[in-house]
Amino acid sequence: MIEQVSVFLENKPGHLAELTRALANAGINLRALMLADTSQFGVARIICDHPRAAKAVLDSAGFGVSITPVLAVEIPDTPGGIADVLDVLGRAGVNVEYAYAFVEPGRSAAVDIFKVDDPAAAEVLTAAGINVIAPDRLYAVDTAV
Amino acid sequence: MYQPQYEAMPRNELEGLQLERLRTVLRRVYDNVDFYRRSFDAAGVKPDVGSLAEFVSYPFTLKDDLRDAYPFNLFAAPLRDIVRVHSSSGTTGQITVVGYTRNDIDNWADLMARTIAAAGGTPDDIVQVTYGYGLFTGGLGVHYGSERLGCVTIPISGGNTKRQVQVLKDFGTTILACTPSYALLIAETAKEMGVDLSTTSLRAGIFGAEPWSENMRLQIQELLGIKAIDIYGLSEVLGPGVAAECGEQNGLHVNEDHFLIEIVDEETLQPVPDGAYGEVVFTTLTKEGIPVIRYRTRDISRIIPGDCPCGRTSKRMERVTGRSDDMIIVRGVNVFPSQIEQVLTGIAGVAPHYQVILGKKGTMDTVEVRVEVAPDMDFDEIRGLETLQRRVRAEIESALAVSIAVKLVEPKSIERSEGKAKRVVDLRGEQQGA
């Protein structure tokens, strides 16, 4: 499992810019940003190079922040790549709450992020020969809080 | 008890003292203040009242009468004898000014010494006076009482919350005096600073100057590890020191040797029996600078029937949960912001910091309650947040009987007040017919 930074955002102009500017000023590099919104508020989900430092920066900037464990899976750039992963999870009875994808620079495979309701999902995927990405490939794991 | 001879005086003696003092003050205002001479004459009443029962036929004094007398026209003593003035905050219009003679200041110090003693204070205590010093009565009121009782008095006034925490910890403060909303901010700030208030010497707080709920009391007691005592006063009558809770925390003992309390029906203005709710009316019995006669406070409360186990014989008024000045009327329904606070303090996942935004859509009033999400909420769970929002909305609607919108806002995004919290923003005038 890897650490995703989840941020509560009121719907107001310029607010996401404030969030990303605060991270930029702290030298934190974003790898993926996904926004989920409701009519009342949004949640920004972020994969970055220093998740714990990002939480600390955003906490002190007054944002509501949680660290959420999510699965990162390498998906080959071929038809059916995601379907194979979802089949494995489905057979194991694992629910996917949300998913999004990004591509790492210089690589052909995509990284898919899955929020799942069962922490054992990583082992199930590994056993099925699917490449689950370890935290150290995406960010500095030893970042102090 | 600081003055048991008055605080535990047998009722018949107390009422005798009240009548004697009432006659003196009525004579003083009749002889020295045009307003009272005219209003007594118009009502056909004389300064020498026959009994406390007869007094209910005397005319009321209103907030507007004090505003009209700005600044000094209701003073019953010449300015030569006035040694201090204070004023109301004036948030709802013209400020009102009150004056104190040397005797008034002396009595006030005694009454606040009683208040601190009733909260468990002794000369061994260290009192941090975080109420504002200045025209507001809170700071100097508590200050004089604390010195009168013999406590170490820290005149820190409001503001600079980190310094408040530092002083509280380093000086070994045992009693904190501030508004309840500021006590919560101090608790929050201490947590951020890594100071565990439960390990400090702090053991009691005397909180007032704004309405607060029982849930908020429990929260303050838990967060600060103290006994939270409700105190009551208003500048028009004295400032703090009019009434205060004892250790029983079951109603505020009115200092009846100095203030005559009446509860009247808000519509008929006739006295209601003990136990029934109504508007609180005070007459000052000893004040010289600016006595008030049957002053309508706009506060809603009741007399709690029965005796208090603490031994004080004075009547107890129930905590004021709403001042009718704070009351908002939404689509014809009376709403007190404290009702919202009571709901929020009972829901995990939100902080008791909120703001009510009143607007207008067509001819309809709209109410949006902005509520802070607690900082330890799981922010990834949209469903959880939506459920929280719906729950807050349903519970507030059920408490107020008015439909509202709830907006969850980010932790600590609602401005913290160092004095009285600003809970209501009324935009209805600007949004007419929008």
Side-chain angles (χ1 to χ4, degrees):
Chain A
M1 300 292 254
I2 65 165
E3 293 181 344
Q4 169 193 275
V5 180
S6 307
V7 190
F8 177 81
L9 279 179
E10 290 171 41
N11 289 346
K12 54 186 182 191
H15 209 41
L16 184 60
E18 276 173 39
L19 182 161
T20 49
R21 181 59 59 197
L23 293 176
N25 289 343
I28 290 166
N29 192 25
L30 307 194
R31 299 196 183 282
L33 168 68
M34 200 271 273
L35 274 180
D37 78 309
T38 72
S39 58
Q40 299 286 335
F41 59 86
V43 173
R45 294 172 174 138
I46 294 167
I47 305 293
C48 66
D49 57 355
H50 293 91
R52 303 250 166 137
K55 178 174 179 346
V57 165
L58 295 175
D59 270 338
S60 64
F63 288 93
V65 193
S66 307
I67 295 274
T68 312
V70 292
L71 267 181
V73 180
E74 193 169 74
I75 308 271
D77 187 17
T78 53
I82 287 193
D84 291 346
V85 173
L86 292 173
D87 279 345
V88 174
L89 292 175
R91 276 197 300 275
V94 176
N95 274 312
V96 175
E97 294 179 19
Y98 57 80
Y100 56 100
F102 62 98
V103 177
E104 287 180 281
R107 290 182 186 252
S108 62
V111 176
D112 264 45
I113 301 292
F114 294 100
K115 169 80 184 295
V116 292
D117 63 354
D118 182 355
E123 289 161 33
V124 173
L125 289 173
T126 306
I130 290 165
N131 189 9
V132 175
I133 298 172
D136 59 4
R137 196 173 115 193
L138 292 177
Y139 54 78
V141 207
D142 56 349
T143 305
V145 174
Chain B
M1 273 182 239
Y2 177 69
Q3 291 178 311
Q5 68 276 31
Y6 294 113
E7 293 175 78
M9 187 179 254
R11 285 298 309 178
N12 58 345
E13 277 180 48
L14 178 60
E15 281 161 24
L17 180 68
Q18 285 185 313
L19 182 59
E20 178 193 318
R21 288 180 167 180
L22 180 61
R23 286 184 177 133
T24 308
V25 77
L26 291 176
R27 172 53 67 187
R28 183 181 302 134
V29 296
Y30 189 82
D31 289 348
N32 295 295
V33 185
D34 284 345
F35 167 81
Y36 287 111
R37 187 162 48 247
R38 279 186 277 110
S39 77
F40 285 13
D41 288 348
V45 295
K46 300 283 174 211
D48 46 344
V49 65
S51 67
L52 291 178
E54 195 182 291
F55 184 53
V56 301
S57 58
Y58 281 61
F60 291 104
T61 306
L62 303 176
K63 176 86 177 172
D64 277 343
D65 296 325
L66 269 76
R67 288 199 181 109
D68 293 346
Y70 179 84
F72 301 151
N73 289 337
L74 281 184
F75 285 13
L79 292 184
R80 175 182 357 107
D81 295 332
I82 299 289
V83 297
R84 169 115 55 92
V85 292
H86 281 288
S87 85
S88 68
S89 50
T91 41
T92 53
Q94 173 79 59
I95 64 169
T96 54
V97 182
V98 290
Y100 302 77
T101 65
R102 203 171 294 284
N103 284 337
D104 291 339
I105 297 286
D106 193 50
N107 284 331
W108 193 9
D110 279 341
L111 293 176
M112 282 311 296
R114 285 186 198 177
T115 297
I116 298 167
T122 71
D124 293 325
D125 275 292
I126 300 176
V127 178
Q128 183 162 336
V129 187
T130 299
Y131 286 111
Y133 282 63
L135 282 175
F136 173 56
T137 51
L140 285 165
V142 176
H143 182 103
Y144 275 59
S146 170
E147 287 192 350
R148 177 64 53 91
L149 186 58
C151 305
V152 176
T153 306
I154 310 173
I156 188 168
S157 193
N160 197 341
T161 313
K162 282 187 175 162
R163 193 180 60 183
Q164 299 282 353
V165 174
Q166 202 66 48
V167 164
L168 193 152
K169 177 169 160 270
D170 295 346
F171 292 16
T173 300
T174 56
I175 297 178
L176 174 66
C178 61
T179 57
S181 55
Y182 197 58
L184 279 181
L185 178 58
I186 288 176
E188 247 175 31
T189 307
K191 197 174 167 197
E192 281 167 14
M193 293 167 68
V195 174
D196 180 0
L197 288 178
S198 64
T199 63
T200 64
S201 307
L202 194 66
R203 63 186 180 84
I206 50 175
F207 304 124
E210 64 185 12
W212 50 312
S213 61
E214 189 59 27
N215 276 341
M216 189 159 171
R217 185 216 298 270
L218 297 176
Q219 195 166 25
I220 288 173
Q221 295 198 145
E222 190 184 324
L223 285 173
L224 282 83
I226 61 169
K227 192 157 198 168
I229 295 291
D230 191 18
I231 68 172
Y232 173 87
L234 58 175
S235 64
E236 297 85 347
V237 176
L238 177 75
V242 175
E245 285 182 334
C246 61
E248 299 292 323
Q249 295 177 307
N250 181 23
L252 296 95
H253 288 276
V254 178
N255 286 309
E256 284 186 278
D257 51 331
H258 293 271
F259 309 102
L260 186 68
I261 184 172
E262 299 172 79
I263 308 284
V264 301
D265 184 282
E266 288 168 85
E267 304 279 321
T268 66
L269 301 178
Q270 292 305 305
V272 299
D274 284 3
Y277 287 93
E279 182 175 341
V280 182
V281 173
F282 279 111
T283 298
T284 61
L285 295 175
T286 53
K287 269 184 62 191
E288 298 173 343
I290 178 167
V292 286
I293 308 301
R294 301 197 84 203
Y295 179 70
R296 288 180 56 187
T297 61
R298 318 295 294 162
D299 287 338
I300 308 301
S301 182
R302 68 183 186 117
I303 300 294
I304 297 177
D307 297 330
C308 184
C310 77
R312 289 177 183 80
T313 51
S314 47
K315 288 183 180 172
R316 288 168 295 158
M317 60 185 270
E318 192 172 272
R319 68 164 50 232
V320 172
T321 49
R323 182 163 287 190
S324 42
D325 289 350
D326 296 330
M327 189 182 77
I328 41 188
I329 302 178
V330 180
R331 303 195 281 273
V333 179
N334 296 348
V335 170
F336 289 104
S338 55
Q339 293 172 287
I340 295 171
E341 176 194 299
Q342 176 82 17
V343 168
L344 295 180
T345 46
I347 300 180
V350 293
H353 296 287
Y354 64 95
Q355 207 161 38
V356 181
I357 315 290
L358 301 175
K360 204 134 191 129
K361 199 169 188 179
T363 55
M364 280 286 277
D365 293 339
T366 59
V367 185
E368 178 182 83
V369 182
R370 293 183 184 166
V371 181
E372 277 183 17
V373 183
D376 55 357
M377 188 71 190
D378 182 351
F379 293 102
D380 194 51
E381 284 289 332
I382 289 183
R383 264 168 302 175
L385 289 163
E386 285 180 332
T387 306
L388 179 66
Q389 183 189 0
R390 278 195 298 270
R391 180 173 167 209
V392 170
R393 180 176 166 188
E395 293 202 16
I396 293 178
E397 286 186 341
S398 131
L400 303 186
V402 168
S403 69
I404 58 152
V406 164
K407 181 177 185 186
L408 296 180
V409 300
E410 289 160 15
K412 295 173 193 167
S413 62
I414 291 173
E415 193 189 345
R416 299 294 192 265
S417 159
E418 289 164 353
K420 301 186 188 197
K422 182 165 175 56
R423 301 296 197 194
V424 180
V425 178
D426 195 340
L427 302 175
R428 286 179 292 189
E430 299 162 27
Q431 296 182 351
Q432 285 293 350

